[in-house]
Amino acid sequence: MASHRMRICVGYDDEGNPITTQIRGVSELELADKVVRAILHSERRDEFLRGTVLATQPEAPPFKSYTEEWYATYKAHRIKATTAYAYQLILRRLYEQWGDMPINQIGTKDIQEFLNERKHLAEKYLQEMLIVIKSIFESARRDGHIKENPATDKRIVIPSKKKTVRKALDLDELRDILLSLDKLELMDKRYMMLLLFTGMRRGEVLGLKWEDVDLKKNVFHIERSITYPRGQNQFVIGKPKTESGLRDVPISQELMNCLQPLGAHGYIIGGETPITLSIHRRMMERINRTINLHGASPHIFRHSYATLLNDAGASVKTIQAIIGHSDVQTTINRYVHSHEDKKQEAVRSVNEMLAVQRGKQY
């Protein structure tokens, strides 16, 4: 007759209350054996096994302290300031989730739950976050803190299909902005003209110097870019975003007229030095108070310019060269939009041709 008994939890009901059962054994050894088997055949199997594995694993550093060391050793000195800022935004989210947890206690399920909780974000951003997570855990694996990289498990999925779409302005919106530019102060007007008539990135416009104006070739020589790492006020002068960013951009006659009289040296937007982030913000606030930008940012004007080049019949390679992309696929996927009026015009043209052909049959 069983003289040893124990009540154990084998699962939980819909409200989270424990479901228990009583186990009996004629000896402590038999009771322990039955308890283990009961748990292994219950809903708590994974919880039990995970706890057993973790209990036998050597002590590992907390996720945050390990990641900070990994970043300082392998990343900080190799990436640009803007990329570093993007890394810090991602790492901040990871620290909030796992900061004090030993890195060997974070599993595939934890990573999937982290992504699931952020399914409202764009698919591309979640993919970027997963890449960073994989890199951290791969480094931990190589350092001997974990046996396997939990982020490489094929069961992990990105729970979002949302796209980050930057919509180009339509022709009516662009026309309204262009007709309003004379209301702006000279510096503000030049800034807007440079954005509208070149397709340059914000940093490239702010890094443009009078010495970059080539009157013989009628082009700008794009040689530098201004960034504000981590949103700091002070500027950093560097190279354009990609090698293809070092390029020549044609100057239209309208833009040349706006630049008159040409300066001898210094920054076109600024002076002896580039403008700070706070000055740029005040400039944009001033412009927005004076004219309607239709919600557009400097990057939207870049999209709009690339779209107009496409609508004007420029080849993708030509657009790529003007915009400054290293990969032509980026030009196609991100910047070349088809305006609705162009689509309607194309459909009308095809329908007219079909109607003519249909008429010939009768």
Side-chain angles (χ1 to χ4, degrees):
M1 184 175 182
S3 59
H4 298 273
R5 67 186 67 185
M6 179 183 291
R7 184 165 293 279
I8 65 170
C9 173
V10 293
Y12 303 91
D13 62 22
D14 293 339
E15 296 181 356
N17 300 313
I19 301 172
T20 64
T21 187
Q22 185 167 274
I23 307 295
R24 300 171 183 269
V26 296
S27 66
E28 289 184 355
L29 184 61
E30 183 184 52
L31 177 62
D33 185 60
K34 285 185 175 182
V35 167
V36 171
R37 280 185 288 170
I39 292 178
L40 288 176
H41 287 84
S42 74
E43 296 176 8
R44 297 185 64 203
R45 178 180 183 278
D46 290 344
E47 177 188 345
F48 176 76
L49 289 176
R50 184 178 178 214
T52 303
V53 171
L54 293 176
T56 61
Q57 287 181 337
E59 195 172 317
F63 178 84
K64 182 177 180 180
S65 63
Y66 178 82
T67 301
E68 288 176 337
E69 182 180 351
W70 163 81
Y71 179 80
T73 304
Y74 300 109
K75 291 294 178 183
H77 64 287
R78 298 174 53 190
I79 55 181
K80 292 183 177 180
T82 49
T83 306
Y85 180 54
Y87 259 96
Q88 291 303 320
L89 291 178
I90 292 175
L91 293 180
R92 192 181 307 160
R93 290 176 181 265
L94 300 181
Y95 296 156
E96 291 171 356
Q97 192 84 5
W98 303 318
D100 295 328
M101 286 181 65
I103 198 165
N104 64 345
Q105 291 188 21
I106 303 168
T108 299
K109 182 181 177 183
D110 299 303
I111 296 170
Q112 186 63 64
E113 288 176 348
F114 172 83
L115 296 172
N116 291 347
E117 290 169 5
R118 291 157 181 80
K119 62 184 179 182
H120 59 284
L121 300 175
E123 179 183 21
K124 184 175 182 294
Y125 186 54
L126 292 181
Q127 289 172 339
E128 291 171 352
M129 295 178 81
L130 183 57
I131 289 172
V132 174
I133 294 170
K134 284 181 179 179
S135 298
I136 295 168
F137 281 101
E138 181 58 25
S139 179
R141 185 190 69 79
R142 295 187 180 188
D143 286 340
H145 297 306
I146 56 176
K147 291 183 177 180
E148 295 182 356
N149 184 339
T152 59
D153 193 304
K154 292 184 179 179
R155 291 177 296 174
I156 291 179
V157 295
I158 301 297
S160 171
K161 294 297 180 184
K162 293 181 180 179
K163 305 295 181 183
T164 303
V165 179
R166 295 185 176 99
K167 182 180 179 295
L169 294 173
D170 62 35
L171 294 178
D172 287 337
E173 291 168 330
L174 286 169
R175 186 181 299 110
D176 181 53
I177 293 172
L178 289 168
L179 292 174
S180 304
L181 291 180
D182 287 338
K183 300 176 183 177
L184 300 175
E185 299 175 11
L186 180 59
M187 183 76 73
D188 298 352
K189 180 179 178 181
R190 283 176 172 172
Y191 181 58
M192 288 302 303
M193 288 288 286
L194 286 165
L195 290 172
L196 285 162
F197 282 82
T198 67
M200 283 191 276
R201 300 175 177 90
R202 180 190 74 170
E204 293 168 349
V205 172
L206 297 178
L208 205 60
K209 302 179 77 170
W210 290 111
E211 295 93 319
D212 300 325
V213 180
D214 189 331
L215 294 176
K216 291 183 179 179
K217 295 183 178 180
N218 204 38
V219 298
F220 291 119
H221 298 302
I222 311 301
E223 297 181 350
R224 70 194 67 78
S225 181
I226 303 302
T227 58
Y228 306 98
R230 302 186 184 182
Q232 66 186 28
N233 187 49
Q234 194 57 37
F235 55 81
V236 172
I237 304 172
K239 294 292 184 182
K241 187 176 180 181
T242 65
E243 286 298 320
S244 299
L246 296 166
R247 64 197 188 281
D248 290 343
V249 173
I251 306 175
S252 68
Q253 187 57 55
E254 291 87 350
L255 180 53
M256 184 62 78
N257 292 341
C258 181
L259 294 177
Q260 300 297 332
L262 299 179
H265 63 276
Y267 291 86
I268 296 177
I269 306 301
E272 292 298 322
T273 63
I275 61 175
T276 62
L277 181 59
S278 60
I279 292 176
H280 178 269
R281 285 173 176 164
R282 288 199 295 271
M283 179 171 66
M284 290 304 299
E285 290 170 358
R286 189 167 58 245
I287 292 171
N288 271 291
R289 286 196 303 268
T290 308
I291 66 176
N292 183 4
L293 294 182
H294 298 277
S297 64
H299 206 85
I300 295 298
F301 292 121
R302 178 168 163 81
H303 277 260
S304 303
Y305 190 76
T307 302
L308 289 175
L309 288 172
N310 179 63
D311 290 346
S315 70
V316 174
K317 293 295 289 183
T318 298
I319 299 173
Q320 179 193 10
I322 295 172
I323 294 296
H325 283 149
S326 56
D327 182 6
V328 71
Q329 200 61 42
T330 302
T331 309
I332 297 171
N333 293 341
R334 293 187 185 178
Y335 293 89
V336 179
H337 306 274
S338 179
H339 280 127
E340 192 62 31
D341 55 354
K342 288 288 182 180
K343 290 192 290 184
Q344 294 292 343
E345 182 181 337
V347 169
R348 282 197 300 272
S349 298
V350 172
N351 286 345
E352 287 173 3
M353 287 189 291
L354 291 174
V356 169
Q357 295 303 315
R358 182 173 181 273
K360 288 182 179 179
Q361 295 177 1
Y362 293 90

